Amino acid sequence: MPLNLVHDSDGLPRIILTEPTGSTAEVLLYGGQVVSWKNERREELLFMSSKAIWKPPKAIRGGIPVCFPQFGNFGSLEQHGFARNRVWSLDNDPSPLSPTDNQSSVDLILKSTEEDIKMWPRSFELRLRVSLSAGKLTLIPRVRNTDGKPFSFTLALSNYLSVSDISEVRVEGLETLDYFDNLIHRERFTEQADAITFDGEIDRVYLSTPNKIAIIDHEKKRTFVLRKDGMPDAVVWNPWDKKAKALPDLGDEEYKTMLRVDSAAIETPIALKPFEEWRGRQEISAVSSSYCSGQLDPRKVLHGLR
């Protein structure tokens, strides 16, 4: 299928993916970033800040930024690494991956440049496949060590999800797990609640998480199911009112309609020997749910509801 590559007024080339039921996704070459995912009813499923800055070298607030080779400030590089503010290329020679029947896909690649190597003296290739199918968006990141010596990295796919009202959202699947609380100097705690609900700022890295997490939006009667492999950690972030006002690229009230739940490898960096490759995978599906009327047990979503 030929790629639909368009150049918008912001000057950032983007690839438009479409599939037969009418859902769409848009992927920028800048940052290799998914900036839109709409269902067959043309409803936007990802959050994008109205104040997002679309001019390099700024990172774009919203969608699904790729944090590599460092998440957050877990290292000596700039916040969240540099992959999200580099221009990627179309990967004309992607390694064979599982078949993409009934999917619309694009393969992107980012290779280390002299500028990157000055900051992070390792030679690498970072690939990303973005695939769209009915009700589902799949991202497959791969990192190859093209250096003569081993290196390690941390990574996250930062999923900015669009929600109706953050105070009506709950996250299932992270109960009883340990987490780092970034609001308290990265202290380690154990989650005591039977689900995560929101009434203030949250910035946590949950550790050794299951492969499936459910984000239940009562008001929209919609559940996002996040499935992931190769990325054992999960980040949950919402800035709440004070932090939102302090962020120049986020509207003062926009924290109410967004929630970030990241697939990540943070606590234990991924180590690669020379010419070794790591591969991860995440799949987000949006299913309608009537949980708010008591008809859907969120645990069924977690444990096998398709």
Side-chain angles (χ1 to χ4, degrees), residues 8-306:
D8 277 0
S9 54
D10 54 33
L12 299 175
R14 64 183 69 201
I15 297 102
I16 314 287
L17 302 178
T18 56
E19 60 79 44
T21 68
S23 64
T24 62
E26 298 183 16
V27 189
L28 296 185
L29 290 181
Y30 180 63
Q33 186 162 338
V34 179
V35 291
S36 173
W37 173 35
K38 291 178 180 172
N39 63 18
E40 68 281 1
R41 294 186 297 279
R42 308 299 295 150
E43 296 167 330
E44 181 59 68
L45 302 173
L46 299 178
F47 168 83
M48 179 58 67
S49 169
S50 64
K51 292 188 171 181
I53 299 163
W54 296 81
K55 289 186 179 166
K58 294 288 187 185
I60 298 169
R61 173 82 62 192
I64 309 180
V66 180
C67 303
F68 171 89
Q70 174 185 302
F71 175 81
N73 55 2
F74 283 72
S76 58
L77 294 173
E78 63 189 280
Q79 175 91 352
H80 294 318
F82 48 72
R84 64 184 186 153
N85 46 28
R86 295 286 185 272
V87 177
W88 296 44
S89 305
L90 292 172
D91 188 358
N92 296 318
D93 188 25
S95 305
L97 291 168
S98 52
T100 55
D101 298 344
N102 298 322
Q103 292 186 340
S104 174
S105 299
V106 62
D107 288 282
L108 303 177
I109 185 168
L110 181 70
K111 295 183 180 182
S112 46
T113 64
E114 287 182 15
E115 182 189 355
D116 299 332
I117 287 171
K118 283 177 190 166
M119 284 188 297
W120 196 63
R122 290 121 179 122
S123 177
F124 68 87
E125 290 176 355
L126 169 58
R127 286 181 162 84
L128 181 68
R129 169 172 286 182
V130 181
S131 297
L132 176 72
S133 55
K136 189 185 298 179
L137 184 69
T138 304
L139 278 72
I140 301 175
R142 290 178 294 148
V143 179
R144 178 174 286 276
N145 179 350
T146 55
D147 212 312
K149 54 186 184 294
F151 65 67
S152 59
F153 61 91
T154 54
L155 174 141
L157 300 176
S158 292
N159 303 302
Y160 282 83
L161 303 174
S162 173
V163 299
S164 51
D165 178 351
I166 186 63
S167 61
E168 296 292 321
V169 171
R170 57 193 278 135
V171 177
E172 301 264 351
L174 302 176
E175 49 279 1
T176 75
L177 299 181
D178 283 5
Y179 62 87
F180 293 134
D181 193 330
N182 290 325
L183 302 179
I184 315 177
H185 310 294
R186 222 177 280 159
E187 271 192 55
R188 189 171 182 135
F189 296 93
T190 301
E191 182 58 64
Q192 303 296 325
D194 61 355
I196 300 167
T197 55
F198 303 91
D199 58 7
E201 184 182 359
I202 186 169
D203 187 354
R204 297 176 183 171
V205 179
Y206 284 84
L207 310 172
S208 302
T209 60
N211 288 345
K212 201 187 290 187
I213 299 166
I215 299 97
I216 300 158
D217 187 338
H218 297 301
E219 200 169 299
K220 275 193 178 155
K221 298 185 174 62
R222 180 163 66 211
T223 296
F224 289 105
V225 181
L226 174 64
R227 294 179 175 86
K228 58 190 181 59
D229 291 302
M231 293 174 279
D233 305 320
V235 179
V236 178
W237 181 74
N238 183 287
W240 220 252
D241 52 351
K242 285 184 185 171
K243 181 70 67 69
K245 287 185 173 73
L247 290 169
D249 59 350
L250 186 67
D252 289 356
E253 301 292 314
E254 287 186 325
Y255 73 92
K256 294 177 180 176
T257 56
M258 60 143 287
L259 175 63
R260 230 184 68 203
V261 181
D262 303 357
S263 302
I266 297 169
E267 184 189 23
T268 303
I270 295 160
L272 288 181
K273 295 172 184 161
F275 308 107
E276 197 173 27
E277 184 175 278
W278 165 86
R279 182 167 118 190
R281 178 187 179 93
Q282 84 161 22
E283 186 184 285
I284 312 175
S285 49
V287 298
S288 62
S289 60
S290 47
Y291 172 66
C292 49
S293 60
Q295 294 169 18
L296 177 66
D297 180 343
R299 283 172 184 78
K300 289 179 184 167
V301 173
L302 281 171
H303 304 297
L305 183 78
R306 291 289 172 188

